[in-house]
Amino acid sequence: MPRKSTTLDPQRLDNQICFAVYSAAHAFNRVYKPLLDRLGLTYPQYLVMLVLWERDDVPVKDIGEKLFLDSGTLTPLLKRLEAAHLVKRTRSREDERQVLIALTPQGHALKEKARAVPQSILAASDCSVSELVAMKDEIVALRDRLNAVIGE
Amino acid sequence: MPRKSTTLDPQRLDNQICFAVYSAAHAFNRVYKPLLDRLGLTYPQYLVMLVLWERDDVPVKDIGEKLFLDSGTLTPLLKRLEAAHLVKRTRSREDERQVLIALTPQGHALKEKARAVPQSILAASDCSVSELVAMKDEIVALRDRLNAVIGE
DNA sequence: TCACATTTAATTGTTCGCAATTGAATGTCC
DNA sequence: GGACATTCAATTGCGAACAATTAAATGTGA
């Protein structure tokens, strides 16, 4: 009575790997939420702040390329960050099509308050740093292969 | 001149496993989209259909537990599936609090049309089955550890 | 039996995420 | 220089995702 193995059936594997990623993303979000609530940020807003803490005064497009997000997502998000006095949005003088995003003093200051976040996540993941780094690299490689297929 | 290595800075975007998972989930979604468009489904709707193709006539809560989603997400999603004539929603006779979700004939029939989806995804991931299985297991284990922390 | 807690879906409001479109600014080619 | 395409952000509309609340059905204990 040959029965197909559930864990090896390639028909199901894609569902499993994709669902694993999908559900892990939500789990991460739920762990981040209480931490980010204290900073007044959502997770996507936190990602934008991470980008800006590395380099300031960049056009929306640059942020979008780093985070794989488009203006339909970023424009309202950045307006909310502006309303929270964390960033300032100004049209570029050299190229009026671009909107440059700069941190306010409050935006810069928030970096210090956010220092504790990564450790808390590390603790919650209950995993060694080297293991996490290895996993991260694998997932990034998979993501990049998927993204390479999209533009075809 | 002690300088923190940027490759180890936990506050850097590229070092965050969460962003890897987050962006990989979006990449998967973008690969799935053209395939699922042909079925008239979104990815979360496809997940619900996968659950129902395995077992039918289940309460909303059961679907939510399998997919880690609550009624705030599922109720409108299931109403859209009902509007598309893929499922039927009926109050349970034994327990009037529950709403049972059953597939319509069209809902059952869609399973056949969805057969081609997994191969396409596997091809796009461009990865050996054994590698994918290993990754999936690691990600699920990480997700479960994260979910375990949440209820504390 | 009756008060009370629990379970279950539904609802409301906010924020993402993306496709498609718009409109202004810039680049290119003749 | 002028027609044309391209680039960039903003907008619109739809579908998640989730917190918080509501309301009905059910379970429990005195």
Side-chain angles (χ1 to χ4, degrees):
Chain A
M1 192 197 200
R3 197 180 67 81
K4 228 169 189 175
S5 160
T6 300
T7 54
L8 289 179
D9 181 355
Q11 293 276 38
R12 287 192 172 171
L13 179 58
D14 75 305
N15 308 330
Q16 293 178 15
I17 179 91
C18 184
F19 177 64
V21 172
Y22 168 90
S23 55
H26 291 317
F28 264 119
N29 197 36
R30 288 190 278 264
V31 173
Y32 268 104
K33 181 145 202 322
L35 301 170
L36 295 180
D37 276 351
R38 278 176 248 163
L39 305 179
L41 296 174
T42 64
Y43 181 68
Q45 289 169 6
Y46 173 67
L47 289 180
V48 169
M49 294 302 285
L50 284 177
V51 170
L52 294 174
W53 287 329
E54 285 184 32
R55 195 155 76 82
D56 212 357
D57 229 10
V58 290
V60 174
K61 200 195 178 228
D62 286 21
I63 301 174
E65 279 171 1
K66 287 190 181 164
L67 301 180
F68 306 98
L69 297 173
D70 67 3
S71 69
T73 301
L74 288 175
T75 296
L77 187 155
L78 289 166
K79 285 185 176 175
R80 282 186 284 270
L81 288 181
E82 188 175 45
H85 308 293
L86 296 174
V87 306
K88 223 181 133 189
R89 299 160 64 250
T90 48
R91 290 261 160 211
S92 165
R93 287 290 210 75
E94 301 95 56
D95 187 339
E96 295 257 342
R97 292 170 302 182
Q98 295 185 349
V99 168
L100 298 180
I101 308 299
L103 290 169
T104 62
Q106 293 103 308
H108 278 292
L110 198 64
K111 184 174 185 179
E112 283 313 303
K113 282 180 72 178
R115 282 189 91 81
V117 172
Q119 294 115 331
S120 305
I121 300 298
L122 185 63
S125 66
D126 188 25
C127 202
S128 78
V129 172
S130 59
E131 277 179 285
L132 284 179
V133 169
M135 261 181 92
K136 183 210 68 182
D137 289 342
E138 284 179 44
I139 296 169
V140 165
L142 174 60
R143 175 197 73 198
D144 292 345
R145 286 197 299 275
L146 291 171
N147 276 331
V149 170
I150 290 169
E152 289 174 3
Chain B
M1 192 197 202
R3 195 180 67 81
K4 212 171 194 176
S5 163
T6 58
T7 59
L8 290 178
D9 182 354
Q11 241 179 334
R12 269 181 65 94
L13 180 66
D14 3 321
N15 293 335
Q16 304 225 345
I17 181 149
C18 183
F19 176 64
V21 172
Y22 167 90
S23 53
H26 291 318
F28 264 119
N29 197 35
R30 288 190 278 265
V31 173
Y32 267 104
K33 180 147 201 323
L35 301 170
L36 295 180
D37 275 350
R38 277 176 249 163
L39 306 179
L41 295 174
T42 64
Y43 181 68
Q45 289 169 6
Y46 174 65
L47 288 179
V48 169
M49 294 302 286
L50 285 175
V51 169
L52 294 174
W53 286 330
E54 285 190 23
R55 196 155 75 83
D56 210 0
D57 229 11
V58 291
V60 174
K61 198 192 178 230
D62 286 22
I63 300 174
E65 279 171 2
K66 287 189 181 164
L67 300 181
F68 305 98
L69 297 174
D70 67 4
S71 70
T73 301
L74 288 175
T75 296
L77 187 156
L78 290 166
K79 285 183 176 177
R80 282 187 283 271
L81 287 181
E82 187 174 45
H85 308 295
L86 295 174
V87 307
K88 222 179 135 190
R89 301 160 63 251
T90 48
R91 289 261 161 211
S92 166
R93 288 289 210 75
E94 300 95 55
D95 187 340
E96 295 257 343
R97 292 169 302 182
Q98 296 184 347
V99 169
L100 299 180
I101 308 299
L103 290 169
T104 62
Q106 293 102 307
H108 278 292
L110 198 65
K111 185 175 185 178
E112 284 311 305
K113 284 181 72 178
R115 284 188 89 82
V117 172
Q119 293 109 332
S120 307
I121 302 296
L122 288 183
S125 68
D126 188 25
C127 202
S128 78
V129 171
S130 60
E131 276 179 287
L132 284 179
V133 169
M135 264 181 87
K136 180 212 68 180
D137 289 344
E138 284 178 44
I139 296 169
V140 165
L142 175 60
R143 177 198 70 199
D144 291 344
R145 285 197 299 274
L146 291 171
N147 277 330
V149 170
I150 290 168
E152 288 173 4

